[in-house]
Amino acid sequence: MALLEREKGIEIHWEERGEGPLVVLAPYSIFHPSVFDPIAAELAGDHRVVRYDDRGTGESSRMGPHDMNTGSEDLAAVIEASGGGAVVVGLGEATNRAVRVCAERPDLVEAIVIPGGLPAGRDRLEHSEAMASSDTVVNAFLSMCETDYRGALRSLVTAGNPQMSEEEIRQRVRLQSEYLPQQTAVARLRVWVDDDPLQAARACGDRLWLLCAENGGGGWFPAGREAAELSRQLFPDAHVEEIEDGIVSRPELTAAVVRRVTAPLRAAPA
């Protein structure tokens, strides 16, 4: 475990395991970090896997600000402290931060692998069935987060994890509400609602890897064939691949893509 000091005394908690090319798991603030446990276990045998808590969450300082630029700067600082040259794996709004770092500090990022979600503004989804495209749905969810935070988390966990039992859902909601305070969750969601990282994502070129599974996105983002087609339209230089399942149920599929990206690094002489 390590603490990265940022401005005004804020500390970012981060930890690493394994040896090999650097992989940074960028936290998706509305999900508990345990969603990354399967992929971390898959990769730690031949990669150095770094995980961290965003400011305001987990063991990092429970302080803001929670704007996208600050979050991107924190991610860049974690990568730099880890030695740079990272493959960043991220979901949801974490991808917005990752593409900014890649575009602004290409020396820090080898590639970004996204096994769910698109690094683009919600208006780019206007013809999609995804819930994120609907102002009505998004505003209702924001309102629920403000008035019934645990209920909002439960709806999110249930939609994204149909395989979970009732007890597992209760446990995940409890862990998530402890990890991510309500005030921080609402602030981060409001930032994401109005954000559009499309130009930064396009600047990443072929460093961007978009993985599309039929059950990806939890209903909030395009999935499967729809996600693949939209990704190819929005990001013509990116790698777009359809996979059978997502990062939690089939972590080895995402890990296989990461290994393809890092193969030249793992083959290089020490």
Side-chain angles (χ1 to χ4, degrees), residues 54-245:
D54 275 321
R55 64 174 65 203
T57 72
E59 296 182 53
S60 293
S61 299
R62 295 294 179 102
M63 297 171 59
H66 303 300
D67 60 278
M68 200 64 72
N69 285 337
T70 299
S72 301
E73 290 167 0
D74 286 344
L75 172 57
V78 169
I79 297 173
E80 195 158 28
S82 304
V87 174
V88 181
V89 179
L91 297 165
E93 46 85 27
T95 69
N96 297 30
R97 299 191 294 276
V99 295
R100 281 180 167 83
V101 176
C102 184
E104 296 169 9
R105 292 289 310 274
D107 57 307
L108 294 179
V109 179
E110 290 287 335
I112 303 171
V113 177
I114 302 176
L118 293 174
R122 292 191 308 112
D123 60 337
R124 314 290 179 176
L125 310 178
E126 60 180 340
H127 300 301
S128 167
E129 296 294 324
M131 290 188 289
S133 67
S134 168
D135 288 343
T136 300
V137 171
V138 170
N139 289 333
F141 183 72
L142 274 169
S143 178
M144 191 175 185
C145 283
E146 293 174 331
T147 59
D148 181 13
Y149 183 46
R150 281 179 172 264
L153 289 177
R154 181 182 177 82
S155 68
L156 197 67
V157 170
T158 302
N161 301 275
Q163 79 284 359
M164 279 189 171
S165 67
E166 178 63 27
E167 179 56 31
E168 287 173 327
I169 291 172
R170 282 198 295 267
Q171 177 75 351
R172 177 65 63 82
V173 169
R174 182 186 66 79
L175 289 173
Q176 180 65 16
S177 62
E178 293 172 354
Y179 178 81
L180 176 66
Q182 180 180 18
Q183 183 177 4
T184 301
V186 171
R188 286 188 175 278
L189 282 168
R190 290 202 175 280
V191 167
W192 164 74
V193 164
D194 296 323
D195 189 50
D196 186 357
L198 180 66
Q199 295 308 315
R202 285 177 172 168
C204 297
D206 64 358
R207 296 188 187 198
L208 190 62
W209 293 70
L210 299 159
L211 310 183
C212 309
E214 281 298 336
N215 63 348
W220 279 91
F221 299 100
R225 182 60 56 83
E226 181 190 21
E229 292 176 354
L230 183 57
S231 295
R232 292 186 180 105
Q233 293 173 16
L234 293 175
F235 313 108
D237 297 325
H239 303 271
V240 179
E241 300 187 7
E242 295 180 57
I243 58 175
E244 293 180 9
D245 215 332

Side-chain angles (χ1 to χ4, degrees), residues 241-265:
E241 300 187 7
E242 295 180 57
I243 58 175
E244 293 180 9
D245 215 332
I247 192 172
V248 176
S249 301
R250 295 287 303 278
E252 75 277 8
L253 301 177
T254 299
V257 173
V258 172
R259 288 192 175 95
R260 283 161 51 197
V261 174
T262 62
L265 301 175

